[in-house]
């Protein structure tokens, strides 16, 4: 089965190779189609396989030509035109363009000038000083490319949470349908909701493990079997590896705790146990106070817990610790002292303050986006299309005149809606921390999200002061995606999160967790540091169409990784309190 992410990935590659070949216009159309396919709420591959090709007519940006390619890919596993492009430009385009500053056009030029096809080729050319000799490059560009190769190699081995978690949900749904499965849950980094994952880890409690494994490797969604045995199996679904482990039901809780991790959390917890004459492992919690050699066997001592995960913590006198907190950032000490946070949930969210429409680079009208927000039972919703400024691709930012015109339309949409609708803008934080809006525009707006989109290679000190200046600007309500990173594509700005938190607390400016799964910016540790300084947080989707309002799921779990409680997040506040904050 071709997943939405897999199909979208082919059109992203199409766009990159066309851009590398200096083709105009087409790449943008393919990227738009890829984004909408990725975000579509229905599994497109399943529907096309079942003969329902009309599903493609529902997807904005998917015309007849692209639709025929989707059908071709679902039916054959390849697209002839894409294969021809790959032969013409045999470039590992996804790997090479992960290097900051190396886009498809640059990758194409490096191939034509130096024959660069892979990261190894690129590294060899950089080490030999060949890149600086190409017109328009130079020593500085060559050095930046050389330094970015290690990052590109590292991220190339990981998948976005937004790609892995939907697959994990499908795996769980399949396993839960098996009569032999008594309990099942994801484990590893995906259960801790890390922004990227290596693979999907799944744990099953069953008395007939071999039957479950046989059913798992025969699942219709599996593309290939990597390995299988009596207790575990690994398969590949699309581009993602899925690892299944089966245990007896009475050891499910201890195995779930052990395989969820993180490694640092588990080491800290085991040491906590040792100090109390206890032994923890994947088989249970054991009282070893009367045992001469606790390391003589995995199951030595009196087993006091293991059937449930909560019991593993209770055996140590601790409350259950939510998976998102298990990163060894003080969670065990907080559990011991009774100070674990009451974490935010998706149900606490009352609205979204950073979204886009067709006025800039979104795909839908203001009215349609407002209706979609109302359908989520939100109490408020904010339009924040791009203003003109550095880093906005394709001239999609709005001029002052256009902003004022849009505000009028937002007011009309608000008058027709049952929810509060804020007229906002996403202003650009330039290299000096300025946002480039006139007083007239600032006065007319309800909410200003200020985000960096350019100069993302500044050093940490310069970047921190730049972002602090934006936070200190009395017009700015929310500092949007502070690092400007794109996961697996560019690392973005480094900064002192505590310094940002101090400034945000002092100037009543919210720091954004951008819930787009390609960003998740801020991330858990940065959120935690900012909250410790008293900063308010805002969780926003940066949605460009109605379906991507569902990105809020990723943002909420990222907030949980940062120890955020509902009161810390302005999206949970009562409308009158939010209005006061924005004013």
């Amino acid at each position: 089965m071709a997943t939405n992410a897999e199909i979208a990935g082919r059109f992203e590659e199409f766009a990159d190779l066309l851009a590398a070949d200096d083709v105009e216009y087409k790449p943008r159309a393919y990227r738009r189609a890829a984004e909408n396919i990725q975000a579509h709420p229905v599994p497109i591959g399943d529907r096309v396989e079942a003969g329902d090709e009309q599903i493609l007519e529902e997807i904005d940006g998917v015309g007849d030509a692209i639709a025929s390619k989707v059908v071709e890919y679902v039916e054959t596993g390849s697209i002839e035109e894409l294969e021809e492009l790959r032969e013409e430009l045999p470039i590992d385009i996804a790997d090479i363009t992960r290097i900051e500053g190396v886009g498809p056009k640059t990758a194409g030029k490096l191939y034509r000038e130096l024959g660069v096809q892979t990261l190894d080729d690129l590294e060899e050319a950089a080490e030999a000083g060949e890149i600086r000799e190409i017109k328009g490059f130079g020593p500085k560009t060559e050095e930046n490319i050389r330094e970015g190769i290690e990052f590109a190699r590292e991220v190339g081995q990981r998948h976005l949470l937004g790609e892995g978690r939907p697959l994990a949900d499908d795996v769980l749904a399949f396993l839960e349908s098996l009569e032999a499965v008594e309990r099942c849950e994801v484990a590893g980094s995906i259960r801790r909701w890390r922004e990227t994952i290596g693979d999907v880890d799944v744990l099953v409690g069953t008395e007939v493990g071999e039957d479950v494994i046989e059913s798992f490797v025969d699942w219709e969604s599996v593309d290939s079997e990597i390995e299988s045995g009596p207790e575990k199996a690994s398969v590949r679904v699309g581009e993602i590896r899925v690892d299944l482990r089966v245990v007896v039901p009475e050891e499910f809780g201890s195995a779930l705790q052990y395989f969820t991790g993180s490694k640092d959390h588990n080491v800290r917890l085991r040491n906590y146990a040792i100090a109390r004459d206890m032994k923890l492992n994947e088989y249970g919690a054991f009282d070893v106070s009367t045992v001469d050699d606790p390391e003589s066997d995995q199951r030595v001592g009196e087993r006091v817990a293991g059937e449930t995960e909560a019991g593993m913590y209770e055996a140590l006198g601790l409350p259950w610790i939510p998976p998102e907190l298990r990163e060894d950032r003080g969670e065990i000490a907080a559990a011991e002292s009774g100070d674990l946070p009451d974490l935010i949930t998706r149900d606490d969210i009352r609205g979204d303050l950073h979204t886009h429409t067709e006025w800039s680079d979104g795909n839908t009208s203001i009215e349609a986006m407002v209706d979609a927000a109302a359908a989520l039972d939100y109490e408020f919703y904010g339009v924040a299309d791009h203003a003109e400024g550095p880093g906005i691709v394709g001239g999609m930012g709005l001029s002052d005149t256009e902003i004022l015109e849009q505000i009028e339309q937002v007011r009309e949409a608000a008058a027709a809606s049952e929810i509060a609708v804020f007229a906002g803008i996403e202003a650009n934080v330039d290299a000096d921390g300025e946002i480039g809006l006139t007083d007239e525009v600032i006065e007319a707006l309800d909410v200003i999200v200020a985000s960096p989109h350019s100069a993302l290679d500044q050093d940490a000190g310069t970047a921190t002061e730049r972002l602090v200046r934006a936070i200190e600007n009395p017009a700015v309500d929310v500092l949007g995606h502070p690092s400007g990173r794109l996961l697996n594509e560019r690392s973005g700005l480094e900064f002192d999160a505590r310094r940002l938190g101090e400034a945000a607390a002092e100037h009543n400016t919210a720091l954004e967790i951008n819930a787009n799964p390609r960003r998740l910016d801020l991330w858990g540790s940065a959120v935690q540091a900012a909250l410790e300084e008293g900063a308010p947080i805002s969780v926003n989707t940066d949605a460009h169409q109605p379906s991507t309002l569902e990105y809020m799921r990723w943002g909420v779990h990222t907030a949980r990784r940062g120890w955020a409680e509902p009161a810390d997040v302005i999206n949970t506040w009562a409308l009158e309190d939010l209005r006061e904050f924005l004013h």
Side-chain angles (χ1 to χ4, degrees), residues 75-371:
E75 292 180 347
T76 69
S78 65
I79 302 172
E80 183 178 356
E81 190 177 332
L82 178 57
E83 295 300 328
E84 291 172 356
L85 259 178
R86 286 171 171 170
E87 289 183 17
E88 182 183 340
L89 290 170
I91 307 170
D92 290 344
I93 196 78
D95 285 348
I96 289 175
T97 55
R98 285 190 182 102
I99 298 173
E100 190 166 350
V102 179
K105 288 183 179 292
T106 300
K109 190 169 186 179
L110 288 166
Y111 171 69
R112 288 187 290 272
E113 296 284 342
L114 300 174
V116 169
Q117 298 182 36
T118 66
L119 285 175
D120 288 343
D121 294 341
L122 189 60
E123 184 173 43
E124 185 177 333
E127 296 292 349
E130 295 174 345
I131 295 174
R132 68 181 65 193
E133 302 301 327
I134 301 174
K135 183 178 179 181
F137 283 69
K140 178 62 175 174
T141 300
E142 182 178 76
E143 179 63 17
N144 289 341
I145 289 174
R146 190 184 64 78
E147 290 178 352
I149 289 172
E150 182 178 352
F151 170 80
R153 284 200 176 107
E154 178 183 341
V155 301
Q157 300 173 12
R158 299 189 66 80
H159 304 280
L160 300 184
L161 174 66
E163 298 167 346
R165 184 71 208 204
L167 171 58
D169 293 341
D170 290 343
V171 175
L172 288 177
F174 168 72
L175 292 171
E176 288 169 351
S177 73
L178 301 179
E179 186 176 348
V181 172
E182 296 187 26
R183 301 169 67 186
C184 65
E185 181 57 275
V186 292
S189 57
I190 203 165
R191 186 168 181 240
R192 305 196 311 277
W193 297 84
R194 283 198 60 183
E195 57 263 41
T196 62
I197 63 162
D199 48 38
V200 173
D201 296 308
V202 188
L203 185 71
V204 162
T206 179
E207 296 288 1
V208 283
E210 292 189 20
D211 290 353
V212 173
I213 286 175
E214 182 179 353
S215 297
F216 172 65
V217 298
D218 288 340
W219 182 32
E220 63 179 6
S221 295
V222 169
D223 291 306
S224 62
E225 177 184 333
I226 300 171
E227 59 183 347
S228 65
E231 297 179 347
K232 57 186 177 180
S234 298
V235 301
R236 197 168 297 282
V237 180
E239 299 176 355
I240 301 179
R241 175 177 172 135
V242 183
D243 293 332
L244 169 69
R245 183 179 295 266
V246 295
V247 299
V248 293
E250 58 265 29
E251 293 179 350
F252 183 84
S254 52
L256 182 60
Q257 193 285 318
Y258 179 85
F259 290 112
T260 293
S262 67
K263 179 181 177 181
D264 290 340
H265 172 83
N266 284 353
V267 168
R268 180 82 61 178
L269 194 65
R270 285 200 301 271
N271 289 337
Y272 187 90
I274 289 169
R276 288 154 182 79
D277 291 326
M278 296 286 290
K279 177 184 178 76
L280 295 187
N281 55 39
E282 62 191 279
Y283 306 107
F286 301 87
D287 182 344
V288 293
S289 59
T290 61
V291 175
D292 292 334
D293 184 5
E295 300 303 318
S296 61
D297 188 85
Q298 290 279 60
R299 293 181 170 89
V300 69
E302 179 188 0
R303 187 172 186 267
V304 297
E307 186 172 352
T308 69
E309 187 181 56
M312 294 292 288
Y313 289 94
E314 290 168 3
L316 301 177
L318 299 175
W320 178 78
I321 299 175
E324 295 96 329
L325 301 186
R326 301 181 198 175
E327 300 291 350
D328 192 27
R329 296 203 305 262
E331 67 275 8
I332 294 173
E336 183 181 27
S337 62
D339 292 326
L340 283 176
D342 182 12
L343 296 177
I344 186 174
T345 70
R346 177 67 180 81
D347 290 342
D348 294 318
I349 297 294
R350 300 187 181 194
D352 194 337
L353 294 171
H354 177 182
T355 67
H356 295 268
T357 75
E358 61 191 2
W359 276 71
S360 64
D361 58 343
N363 299 326
T364 315
S365 68
I366 295 170
E367 293 77 12
M369 292 298 286
V370 171
D371 289 346

Side-chain angles (χ1 to χ4, degrees), residues 398-409:
L398 305 183
S399 67
D400 287 355
T401 300
E402 290 170 326
I403 294 171
L404 295 171
E405 289 175 358
Q406 188 192 53
I407 290 172
E408 292 182 11
Q409 285 204 12

Side-chain angles (χ1 to χ4, degrees), residues 20-38:
D21 203 28
D22 288 332
V23 174
E24 300 291 339
Y25 308 118
K26 255 190 173 183
R28 182 175 173 184
Y30 278 38
R31 290 191 205 287
R32 182 184 181 194
E35 181 179 351
N36 294 340
I37 289 169
Q38 168 87 47

Side-chain angles (χ1 to χ4, degrees), residues 495-510:
F495 50 76
D496 182 341
R498 291 195 178 280
R499 178 80 178 89
L500 264 58
E502 291 173 358
E506 180 180 353
H507 294 276
N508 220 28
T509 302

